[in-house]
Amino acid sequence: MFGGKQLSQNTEWVNTTITFAVDGFIGAQKIKKYPRILRPLAARFIPEIAKIKNHYEFARNLLIPIMQERKRTGEKPMDLLQWMMDNAKGPEETDEAFIADIMLKVSFAAIHTSAAAPTQLIYDLCQIPEIVAPLREEMQAALLETS
């Protein structure tokens, strides 16, 4: 996960990233039904769009203390959150709330690419069945090396 074990094992974070994605898609579909000029007003009455603000607030409340703790202790785990902290430039990018918002958005994107990859793998294996045996052998060899 992008924030190491601390985030990947946090069920509230995982649920928030998933529901953020769902609320975003549903909210977008609902708001498209309104003329452009009325969308800012309509957005106030679409529950999924209102929930998006809560997702950002949750991400900030969870991630900012983690970032502050890392700065205080000097801990630098090898994860995306730390990479973003280390490579941020300028006042906007170094703002902890900005980094928390980006982490939520990146997790949103990762959910869908991660879900699409196994599906594509199955399609590929069905289309090219002769690669199944060599892949199985490679996996077994890798497991023997790492276990």
Side-chain angles (χ1 to χ4, degrees), residues 41-54:
L41 178 63
R44 297 172 185 250
F45 300 100
I46 298 173
E48 291 81 7
I49 292 177
K51 289 178 190 176
I52 290 172
K53 179 182 174 188
N54 297 334

Side-chain angles (χ1 to χ4, degrees), residues 131-146:
I131 66 170
V132 172
L135 284 174
R136 183 179 293 123
E137 290 171 15
E138 184 179 338
M139 288 180 359
Q140 289 171 339
L143 287 171
L144 287 174
E145 287 176 19
T146 59

Side-chain angles (χ1 to χ4, degrees), residues 18-128:
I18 293 168
T19 55
F20 174 72
V22 172
D23 289 337
F25 280 119
I26 293 172
Q29 293 306 311
K30 286 184 177 181
I31 204 161
K32 284 181 185 178
K33 296 176 183 178
Y34 295 92
R36 285 190 189 276
I37 196 162
L38 294 177
R39 288 179 185 174
L41 178 63
R44 297 172 185 250
F45 300 100
I46 298 173
E48 291 81 7
I49 292 177
K51 289 178 190 176
I52 290 172
K53 179 182 174 188
N54 297 334
H55 295 306
Y56 280 114
E57 185 177 330
F58 175 81
R60 290 174 181 180
N61 289 337
L62 177 68
L63 295 173
I64 289 174
I66 292 172
M67 289 184 270
Q68 291 171 342
E69 179 70 11
R70 288 181 180 188
K71 287 176 184 175
R72 189 181 64 72
T73 64
E75 179 189 3
K76 290 186 173 260
M78 294 201 50
D79 58 27
L80 180 63
L81 178 60
Q82 188 63 49
W83 182 87
M84 289 174 56
M85 291 170 62
D86 292 343
N87 291 285
K89 293 174 179 50
E92 182 184 46
E93 286 185 17
T94 56
D95 179 64
E96 292 167 343
F98 176 82
I99 293 173
D101 292 352
I102 295 296
M103 283 293 291
L104 184 60
K105 292 172 189 171
V106 168
S107 295
F108 163 86
I111 288 168
H112 301 289
T113 56
S114 297
T119 303
Q120 187 60 49
L121 173 67
I122 291 169
Y123 289 150
D124 291 345
L125 292 174
C126 290
Q127 191 173 14
I128 316 166

